[in-house]
Amino acid sequence: MATVEQQFEWHSGKNRSAGVPDAIEFIDVYKSFGSNKVLQGLNMGLPEGMISMILGPSGTGKSVCIKHIVGLLYPDSGDVVVHGQSVPSLSDAELFEFRRQFGVLFQDGALFGSLNLYDNVAFPLRQHTEKGEEEIAEIVNRRLREVGLGDAGQKMPNELSGGMRKRAGFARALVLDPQIVLFDEPDSGLDPVRTALLCELIKEIHAENGGTYVVITHDIMSARRVAEYIAVLWRGRIVEAGLAQDLFDSENPFVKQFLSGESAGPLGME
Amino acid sequence: MNELLAMPREWLSAAGEIGRFMGTVLSDVFGARVLRFSGETLRQAGILIISSTLIIWALMFVLGLECGIEGAYFLEAQGAPAYSGVFAAWCDLREIIPYAFGYMLAAKVGTGIVAELGAMRISDEIDALEVMGVDSMVFLCATRLLGSWLVLPFVYIAGIGGAFLASYIAVVQQVGVVSSGGFELIFWEFQNPTDFLFSLTKAMVMATVIVLVGCYYGYNASGGPVGVGTATAKSMVLNLVLVHLIGMMGTQIFWGQSPKAPIGG
C-alpha cells in the first residue's frame, strides 16, 4: 500500500499562471464515492477566455470535475468557485439560473431521443427565451450550419453517427451563447480524422465567439491541437498546470510520460 | 442479528426514499411548477392516449366478460340465475376492473416510464436537462403525473363502460340464463353513483402510485442497460404489490362498513 508521499510523489502542483484571472477554481476539493476516493485535495484554476484542457489517465476524476463545475455533484469538502460564485452554496433556484451561463457537450451528445435534431438545438431557446419561432429557426439553422449539420435538422438522434451526434450536441451547447462551454471527452469513440475535424471546429468557434472552454480528454493529439492551457490530473490532484507549451516542455517525469504517450515512467497499468 | 435486520432496514430506507420522491413530484404538481411545461404535459397526455388506451380497454373488456361468465354459471348452479347481475355489478365496478386497470397500467405505462427515464439517465439526457437550467424532476416526472391525471379518469370511465357491456354480452347473449331486462334490473340495483365514484377513486390512486413508482425507478436508474432492466423489474413488482394493497384498502374503506347491498330490506 503506497503512502501518501509515494502516491503524490510526482504532484509538484506547479501552476504556471496564464496571466488572466481564473473563471473556474477548485479549492482543496475532496470527493469520494463509497471507498473510492476520486478527488483528493484538488486545487486547480482554469483561466478566463481560454481553451483549457484537463488531461489525465482514465478514472482519475476528470468527468467528476465537470459535474462539480455545473453543480451536478457537490464536493465532500472544499469549494468550487465559478466567476466568483461558490457552486455548492447556491440554492436550487439559484443553481438553475447559474447553469444558464454554461453549455455542456456530453460524451455521446446526450441528445433527447424523442426530439429531432432541430428541436434538440431549439430546446434551450424555447425553455429560456421569449424568442418567436422565426428567430429561433434563424439561430438554430445558423448553429447547425456552423457544425456542418445544416441539412440534418429533421433527423432523429438515432439516425446520426457518433461524430454527428457530438457536433449536434455542440450546436445545442452553443445555442444560448454561453460564457463557459464544457466538453466531456469530445474525442471518445471518434476516428482520428473526425477527432481532428472536431478539434478544428472547437478552435474556430472559440475564435469566433470567445468565452471560456474547458475540454476533458486523455487524448494527447487533441491537446496538441486545441489546448491553450493544460491541467494534468492524476489520482484526484493536479500534477502540474500551465500554458500548453510550458506543459509540453515540462521536465516532470509524469507529465513528460503522459504528454509523450511513453510506456516507461511513473504511470503504470494500476 | 444485524444481518437479520439489514434487509428490513434497507426496505424501510428505500420506502422513505420513494416516499420523499413522490412527495416532491406531487408538490411540483400542486405547487403549479409543472404548468411551466404545459406543452410537455399535453405531449405526455397524448402519448398515453395513443399508445396505452386500447390495450387497457381490451383487458378491462376481457375481464368484464369473465365477471359475467363466472356470475352466470355460479348463480345458475345455485338456482338463482336471475341474480347474475349482482355478481357482474360488484365484480366489474368494485374489484376486478380496478385491478385490470392497475395491472395493465403497471405493465404498459409504469414499465414504459422506467425504461424511458432510465435510458435518459444512463445516456446523460437528464444531466443535460439539468445543466440547461431545466428542473428535470418537474419536466420529466411532474408532467407525466399531470398528463396521466388529465387522461386516465376518462380512460377508466370508458373502460368501465366496456366492462359493463362485456358482462351484459356474456350473461345475456352468451350464457343466456337471464333476460336483458332482468339482468339490467338487478345489475343497476346493486350499484349507485357513489360506488362509481369510489371505484374511480380507487383506480386513480392506483394510477398515481404506478406513475410515481415508474418515475422513481426510471429517474434513479444506474448501472447501464442492465441497471435499467433491473429497475423496470423492480418497479413492476412494487407496483403489483401496491395495486393489491390499494385495492384491498379501497374495498375496506369504501364498502367494508356498508356493502350497500339492497338485500333483506
Side-chain angles (χ1 to χ4, degrees), chain A residues 23-57:
Chain A
I24 299 162
E25 289 171 87
F26 282 75
I27 302 165
D28 207 21
V29 173
Y30 285 82
K31 180 70 183 178
S32 301
F33 297 98
S35 60
N36 183 18
K37 294 174 182 169
V38 180
L39 301 181
Q40 303 189 67
L42 174 64
N43 285 293
M44 173 172 71
L46 301 170
E48 184 79 58
M50 297 178 88
I51 303 181
S52 298
M53 257 193 183
I54 303 175
L55 274 172

Side-chain angles (χ1 to χ4, degrees), chain A residues 83-194:
Chain A
H83 288 151
Q85 272 185 304
S86 165
V87 182
S89 55
L90 295 172
S91 67
D92 280 356
E94 288 169 336
L95 192 60
F96 284 121
E97 194 57 41
F98 161 84
R99 283 172 178 159
R100 292 189 195 179
Q101 66 183 305
F102 291 99
V104 181
L105 172 57
F106 288 89
Q107 273 188 31
D108 198 34
L111 300 173
F112 303 128
S114 56
L115 304 179
N116 67 23
L117 211 52
Y118 178 91
D119 288 331
N120 260 287
V121 180
F123 185 86
L125 290 168
R126 288 178 177 147
Q127 291 302 325
H128 294 309
T129 70
E130 300 294 321
K131 295 183 195 308
E133 275 304 312
E134 228 170 79
E135 201 178 343
I136 287 175
E138 190 267 316
I139 298 170
V140 171
N141 289 327
R142 176 163 53 85
R143 288 299 184 192
L144 284 174
R145 276 197 306 275
E146 275 176 355
V147 299
L149 293 171
D151 299 327
Q154 297 310 311
K155 289 194 170 166
M156 297 302 283
N158 61 6
E159 296 175 276
L160 304 176
S161 68
M164 287 168 89
R165 274 204 296 274
K166 280 180 203 285
R167 282 186 280 147
F170 191 15
R172 190 178 65 182
L174 292 172
V175 80
L176 285 176
D177 296 322
Q179 300 165 43
I180 300 174
V181 186
L182 308 173
F183 300 81
D184 190 1
E185 303 211 8
D187 41 46
S188 72
L190 291 187
D191 61 67
V193 176
R194 275 3 183 294

Side-chain angles (χ1 to χ4, degrees), chain B residues 60-242:
Chain B
M60 291 169 90
F61 187 86
V62 168
L63 288 183
L65 282 174
E66 209 165 299
C67 285
I69 293 166
E70 292 281 350
Y73 283 126
F74 175 74
L75 286 156
E76 191 186 19
Q78 305 306 313
Y83 285 92
S84 300
V86 179
F87 191 90
W90 284 21
C91 180
D92 282 346
L93 195 64
R94 298 186 182 189
E95 299 303 329
I96 297 302
I97 297 306
Y99 281 131
F101 178 75
Y103 296 154
M104 194 46 87
L105 209 61
K108 178 74 174 64
V109 178
T111 55
I113 290 174
V114 183
E116 189 181 358
L117 297 192
M120 287 183 78
R121 168 64 75 193
I122 63 168
S123 63
D124 290 330
E125 287 177 48
I126 295 181
D127 283 351
L129 270 176
E130 289 278 325
V131 298
M132 277 188 242
V134 174
D135 187 332
S136 58
M137 282 270 275
V138 181
F139 186 78
L140 297 173
C141 303
T143 53
R144 278 169 171 76
L145 182 61
L146 185 56
S148 69
W149 283 351
L150 291 176
V151 168
L152 292 177
F154 301 103
V155 172
Y156 183 71
I157 291 167
I160 284 278
F164 283 0
L165 175 68
S167 292
Y168 172 88
I169 292 170
V171 175
V172 178
Q173 306 293 332
Q174 182 194 340
V175 184
V177 289
V178 62
S179 71
S180 173
F183 173 79
E184 283 190 36
L185 175 74
I186 297 294
F187 183 77
W188 293 116
E189 204 169 326
F190 276 77
Q191 57 180 299
N192 59 41
T194 324
D195 292 337
F196 172 73
L197 217 67
F198 288 161
S199 174
L200 181 63
T201 307
K202 222 181 182 186
M204 286 311 111
V205 174
M206 285 178 187
T208 302
V209 166
I210 288 164
V211 170
L212 287 172
V213 165
C215 285
Y216 171 80
Y217 278 104
Y219 190 84
N220 295 296
S222 62
V226 174
V228 177
T230 309
T232 309
K234 277 184 183 173
S235 80
M236 189 66 200
V237 171
L238 182 58
N239 270 333
L240 284 184
V241 171
L242 291 175

Side-chain angles (χ1 to χ4, degrees), chain A residues 212-234:
Chain A
T212 303
Y213 282 22
V214 179
V215 183
I216 278 183
T217 185
H218 49 235
D219 183 59
I220 309 308
M221 283 309 289
S222 300
R224 286 194 183 276
R225 282 195 186 97
V226 173
E228 295 172 332
Y229 184 89
I230 292 176
V232 178
L233 183 68
W234 188 34

